Amino acid sequence: LTIMVAGFAGLWAFLERIAVDNQFDAEFTNTWLGVGLIASGVGPLVAAYIESAVSRFTGLLLGMGVAVLSMSLLLGEVGRTDYALVLALLPFGYYFGLTFVFSVIAEADHNGRVPGLMAFALAISSGAGPAAFGWLKSIDAPVVVVMALLIAAGTLLALIIERSINTDSMEKLS
């Protein structure tokens, strides 16, 4: 969770700077940042609505896949359409997938201690992600790629945990 949130938070904190660097006007930028915030709420709402129709594995992979793939639009020259698509798809996919991550974590939590650790993970990663993004940007590193890799690594770990839970459940049934 920490790795995944750091990747998203790192990029999200700098989306306004990406707009400035590409000389997008403030009205356009603010509108699409607002759309992104709305998409952050719509993603989990859609996930809750369809959760019985898709497995956690599929939901997690689909949501985070959309998030990571949308980030590819920020590589190279970023146009207004690219920026708008990222601000619609990235938070939608990320928070859609995060719904399934929380479901995996809840099922893996056998002693009830995880909610406190989740709050800690969210707080630490929300600060660490933007700090890492800023530092990487200052040394001309491929920042968007690194943030996408963090989200992908967190997704992979969640998928491994999800598969482990399913394997354990199947072994107990047999």
Side-chain angles (χ1 to χ4, degrees), residues 25-42:
D25 61 88
E27 184 177 342
F28 171 83
T29 303
N30 293 339
T31 297
W32 283 100
L33 285 170
V35 167
L37 291 173
I38 292 168
S40 297
V42 173

Side-chain angles (χ1 to χ4, degrees), residues 7-170:
F8 179 79
L11 181 59
W12 186 259
F14 281 84
L15 281 170
E16 188 270 337
R17 297 302 319 147
I18 291 169
V20 169
D21 291 347
N22 287 283
Q23 300 176 346
F24 301 147
D25 61 88
E27 184 177 342
F28 171 83
T29 303
N30 293 339
T31 297
W32 283 100
L33 285 170
V35 167
L37 291 173
I38 292 168
S40 297
V42 173
L45 185 62
V46 171
Y49 181 72
I50 68 163
E51 80 162 306
S52 61
V54 298
S55 68
R56 282 190 304 228
F57 187 90
T58 301
L60 177 57
L61 198 57
L62 179 64
M64 293 306 176
V66 166
V68 169
L69 289 174
S70 73
M71 293 169 74
S72 69
L73 296 171
L74 295 175
L75 301 174
E77 192 70 32
V78 179
R80 292 167 68 94
T81 302
D82 300 323
Y83 188 77
L85 284 170
V86 169
L87 279 161
L89 295 174
L90 173 64
F92 176 89
Y94 177 79
Y95 283 103
F96 177 94
L98 197 59
T99 303
F100 293 94
V101 171
F102 288 150
S103 176
V104 169
I105 292 170
E107 181 144 345
D109 183 16
H110 299 293
N111 60 19
R113 294 182 184 160
V114 172
L117 295 174
M118 285 172 53
F120 172 77
L122 291 171
I124 292 299
S125 55
S126 293
F133 190 103
W135 176 74
L136 289 167
K137 190 167 174 51
S138 75
I139 62 168
D140 292 326
V143 197
V144 173
V145 172
V146 173
M147 296 298 125
L149 288 173
L150 288 173
I151 293 172
T155 301
L156 180 61
L157 290 172
L159 290 171
I160 290 169
I161 292 167
E162 197 279 330
R163 283 295 175 214
S164 171
I165 291 168
N166 281 342
T167 301
D168 289 348
S169 296
M170 294 306 284

